[in-house]
Amino acid sequence: MKGILLAGGSGTRLHPLTRAVSKQLLPVYNKPMVYYPLSVLMLAGIREVLVISNPDNIDLFRHLLGDGTRLGMQIDFAVQPSPDGIAEAFTIGSEHIGTDPVALILGDNIFHGPNFSPLLRRNVQEIDGCVLFGYAVSDPERYGVGVVDAEGTLLELEEKPARPRSNLAVTGLYLYDNDVVDIAKNLQPSARGELEITDVNRVYLERGNARLVNLGRGFAWLDTGTHDSLLLASQYVQVLEQRQGTRIACVEEIAYRMGFIDADDCYRLGVEIGASDYGAYLRDIAKGET
């Protein structure tokens, strides 16, 4: 499976913070925001990732992430000239996807919870159509919503409904078979002139091969689109890391744990990062001390 990380948009809700830099390059506690969605793709076992951003920021992502070699991955980059919808990622990334299935994640989404990696890998291996991930929220009218029956079967998708029939928001993580490329290419733009991801998902739903996985209680899905939510996400990561002595979305550690790199590589990355707590953590991981 190939991965696409969509880090476009103008981040207007975060102005003036994002007037000079992409939202996905802002810090969430001790690491760039983009590390969090990248870590999700890595936990799914995906090693070939396309990062899509706007013309002003694409070189900054290249500078931060490189070609992925240091993480035992292949990371490529593509430009989305204007924010014309999430589903445009599949037309921009069609060459990257090739004949493979694909996972798409939005660059401002943070996922954290128990046994997340096995859940991801199981659904990647069982992909047949479209897999969405739902999360119960108190304000479903702000999101795309999945309506399910008592057995959890996905019945309907609603886009920011005024009177939601469900509180299960569809998160910014999507798994698709290769049909998604043709679906996106034949999609009609919405009234806003965008290629809407909900319209892609409805095609799969009409075909009868769209599933929604409820992430359930004890899991965290964090949106970082406003100043308050960005601060809350940083505080969430800070509390967990300080209490547990581990790191959330430490891409170098994940690369090591997933077998993308070995202990020597991990230690070398810790040395390169330097005297920060983050670098010391990686060195300890490589030496088996954490």
Side-chain angles (χ1 to χ4, degrees), residues 83-84 159-160 189-194 196:
D84 293 328
E159 183 61 28
K160 297 181 180 178
S190 67
R192 298 187 300 174
E194 297 182 359
E196 302 285 357

Side-chain angles (χ1 to χ4, degrees), residues 139-143 145 147 158 160-167:
D139 50 353
E141 65 277 1
R142 293 182 52 223
Y143 303 95
V145 170
V147 180
E158 301 177 325
K160 297 181 180 178
R163 294 187 176 131
R165 295 168 52 205
S166 163
N167 69 341

Side-chain angles (χ1 to χ4, degrees), residues 16 19 39 43 49-50 57 83 142 151 153 180-181 214 216 218 221 223 236 265-266:
R19 288 182 65 85
S39 73
L43 288 169
V49 174
L50 178 69
N57 289 288
R142 293 182 52 223
E151 286 73 41
T153 302
V180 73
V181 176
N214 188 347
W221 171 56
D223 180 10
Y236 174 85
D265 295 325
C266 184

Side-chain angles (χ1 to χ4, degrees), residues 2-6 41 48-52 74-79 89 92-97 104:
K2 301 291 179 59
I4 293 181
L5 197 164
L6 184 57
L41 298 178
E48 296 178 59
V49 174
L50 178 69
V51 176
I52 299 176
Q74 177 183 325
I75 300 178
D76 296 309
F77 301 87
V79 169
I92 294 172
S94 59
E95 185 175 339
H96 166 75
I97 297 168
L104 169 67

Side-chain angles (χ1 to χ4, degrees), residues 116-147:
F116 190 34
S117 185
L119 174 70
L120 289 172
R121 283 180 280 169
R122 183 168 62 252
N123 280 283
V124 164
Q125 292 166 0
E126 297 172 355
I127 189 71
D128 178 22
C130 161
V131 178
L132 310 174
F133 294 86
Y135 187 79
V137 296
S138 60
D139 50 353
E141 65 277 1
R142 293 182 52 223
Y143 303 95
V145 170
V147 180

